[in-house]
Amino acid sequence: MPTGDPRTAAEALSELQQLAETADFVPAGCMVQHRRIPDAHGYLGAGKLAELAEVVKLAHSGCVICDDSLTPNQMRNIENTVGVPVMDRSELILQIFGTHARTPQARMQVELASLQYEMPRLRRRWTHLERQRGGIGIRGGAGEKQIDVDRNLLRTRIASVNRGLKRIEQHKVRAVQARPDLFTVALVGYTNAGKSSLMNRLTDAGVLAENKLFSTLDTRTRPWRLPGGRTVLLTDTVGFLRKLPHQLVASFHATLEEALHADLLLVLVDGSSSEAAEQLTAVDEVLSTLKADNLPRLTVLNKLDLVEDRATLAPLWRIDPHAIAVSVQDGEGLPVVMTSIQNHLAAVENRVELLLPHTAGALHAEIRTRATVLSEFYTEDGCLMEIQASPAILGRLMAGGARAVQRPPNAPDQPE
Ligand SMILES: Nc1nc2c(ncn2[C@@H]2O[C@H](COP(=O)(O)OP(=O)(O)OP(=O)(O)O)[C@@H](O)[C@H]2O)c(=O)[nH]1
Ligand SMILES: [Mg+2]
């Protein structure tokens, strides 16, 4: 068990099992050792390590996965005792990210994280090769020179991937800046919470959604038409996980940052999971590392259709009394999400009355999609509208020919 993990061993192992299955492993068994600090040499104590070797032999396992980070030394020592390859949590997650990466940016981000993970472990790989060839260790052996060659190769590749990534990121920044000034809602949350499913349900994004961890590794933004015609942008992105390898958090920073350019966060959590409260806390931690913890947010508890007793949601409502329970699958609660977003818009935007002269009639369609129209009347001078919009949109409308209407204090609400 990793130290400082608030979960029980069973909870931590059930997540590790899910990760392993996502990477197409078939788990044969689990083992837990309760220790205050991991053994520096073999992570587990000597007795437990021997027990593990026995279990691996009996189950004919091809690999051992540890739920914590292992030092290259610990990995080598465990491998020597159990006789099969050993993987730590970071390596497993990197492998999953590697198979799920589809866009060039995601592929490069995973490659960068993997190269950085690999760097301190080069020596271990070479010791293995020398042993297989019957060598006598790496001190002064062929491996020693090869490690230097490999290290230089890795450094060159890291620099080249970094340059490629910078180019893509600059291109993306320009694309985000060129985006129409629409209110943006970002979907964030623990992996497998249902973010892509919600995105698909609300827009026709056609994003891959499946019962696997880290199905989505890049950011996608689609227009979402709210009831009444107002359009906002909805952004889906990579899911969070407790203790993500730091190399991955660093590599995916740009992807997450793009999503966190949002005006409002929808924090999604799988309400049917027994670990929903811990997952919400983990999401908070990632958001605060990304300095996005002060963005306005709505908490959405998903998969209500799988919750047999709603009383089990009580701890989540204690964390956020305004959390909205929904089922993306059958649509329950989604109208409440929309109303909450509209209420949020009403609270943060300006409400103004303006006259759209006939000469500026072309702005009418823009107002309908980018602002909320509260009322409109046609008069001799043009269309008199009461709208709610952001200062940026209002500025654009004024520049396009719309005029603010100043009413005398006792004027009737509506024109005759
Ligand atoms: N029963 C039920 N299943 C749901 C619901 N919403 C989503 N799912 C399922 O949950 C699984 C994960 O959904 P995704 O939409 O891929 O989750 P995600 O948050 O995008 O996951 P990552 O991209 O991995 O971060 C899929 O198998 C969905 O079909 C729901 O309301 N009820
Ligand atoms: Mg997804």
Side-chain angles (χ1 to χ4, degrees), residues 93-123:
I93 295 172
L94 280 169
Q95 185 170 323
I96 297 172
F97 270 62
T99 39
H100 290 185
R102 284 180 190 88
T103 60
Q105 186 185 23
R107 277 200 214 107
M108 280 192 206
Q109 285 167 323
V110 179
E111 185 181 354
L112 185 62
S114 307
L115 291 170
Q116 274 156 352
Y117 176 84
E118 192 66 24
M119 199 60 140
R121 289 168 174 78
L122 276 180
R123 185 173 290 278

Side-chain angles (χ1 to χ4, degrees), residues 98-171:
T99 39
H100 290 185
R102 284 180 190 88
T103 60
Q105 186 185 23
R107 277 200 214 107
M108 280 192 206
Q109 285 167 323
V110 179
E111 185 181 354
L112 185 62
S114 307
L115 291 170
Q116 274 156 352
Y117 176 84
E118 192 66 24
M119 199 60 140
R121 289 168 174 78
L122 276 180
R123 185 173 290 278
R124 169 175 160 258
R125 253 199 304 137
W126 277 99
T127 334
H128 275 238
L129 278 182
E130 296 238 325
R131 199 180 308 114
Q132 278 167 17
R133 293 192 202 127
I136 49 157
I138 57 161
R139 279 271 147 240
E144 191 76 349
K145 280 196 201 103
Q146 194 56 44
I147 290 168
D148 288 336
V149 174
D150 282 4
R151 200 170 280 145
N152 282 337
L153 280 175
L154 275 189
R155 282 204 191 102
T156 317
R157 184 70 195 146
I158 287 176
S160 135
V161 176
N162 255 325
R163 277 196 301 276
L165 267 178
K166 283 269 154 0
R167 270 197 300 277
I168 296 185
E169 281 160 21
Q170 279 160 3
H171 180 78

Side-chain angles (χ1 to χ4, degrees), residues 57-94:
K57 211 158 107 196
L58 282 176
H60 299 291
S61 304
C63 176
V64 168
I65 306 174
C66 174
D67 193 36
D68 205 352
S69 288
L70 294 174
T71 64
N73 242 351
Q74 288 170 329
M75 252 186 202
R76 186 178 51 225
N77 293 330
I78 306 176
E79 280 181 0
N80 286 345
T81 313
V82 300
V84 294
V86 173
M87 235 188 205
D88 67 2
R89 183 181 164 88
S90 299
E91 202 173 342
L92 177 62
I93 295 172
L94 280 169

